[in-house]
Amino acid sequence: MSNKKLVLGIAAGVAALAVVGVICKRKGYLDGACEKAESLGNDLKDKYNNVKESARKKFDEVVHKGGEIADRLKNKSETAAKNIDPTTN
C-alpha cells in the first residue's frame, strides 16, 4: 500500500467521523454525554484523591513503625555494648 492511499484512507475516516459527529449533535445524542463525562471525571478524581490519602497514611504509619523499631534496636545495642566486658577485647 502506498503512502498516498494510506493518507487518503485516514482522511476519509476522519471525514466520516466528522459527519457522524455533526449528525449526532443535531439529533441531540451528545447532549447527555458531556455531563456524563464530567461526572465520570469527578468520580475518578475523588477516587484518586482517596487512594492518594490512603497511601500517604499507610506510608506515614510505616515510617513511624520503622522509627520505633530502629529506636528499640539502638537501645538494645547500647545495652549490649555496656554489658560487654572490656577486658575480653
Side-chain angles (χ1 to χ4, degrees):
M1 181 186 290
S2 68
N3 287 339
K4 184 177 180 181
K5 289 182 181 179
L6 179 67
V7 171
L8 187 60
I10 291 173
V14 169
L17 285 175
V19 169
V20 169
V22 169
I23 291 171
C24 287
K25 181 71 175 166
R26 285 186 182 172
K27 296 263 185 182
Y29 295 133
L30 299 177
D31 292 340
C34 291
E35 288 84 18
K36 288 179 184 178
E38 188 174 331
S39 173
L40 179 63
N42 289 335
D43 290 345
L44 288 174
K45 184 178 178 182
D46 291 340
K47 287 180 183 179
Y48 171 75
N49 285 334
N50 290 340
V51 167
K52 187 171 80 170
E53 277 300 313
S54 175
R56 181 174 288 141
K57 287 178 184 179
K58 281 287 189 190
F59 178 77
D60 289 341
E61 288 175 15
V62 168
V63 168
H64 181 71
K65 188 75 169 175
E68 289 176 357
I69 292 170
D71 288 339
R72 275 191 273 147
L73 289 175
K74 181 181 173 187
N75 291 337
K76 285 183 180 182
S77 65
E78 288 173 352
T79 304
K82 288 178 186 177
N83 293 336
I84 295 177
D85 186 18
T87 58
T88 59
N89 291 335

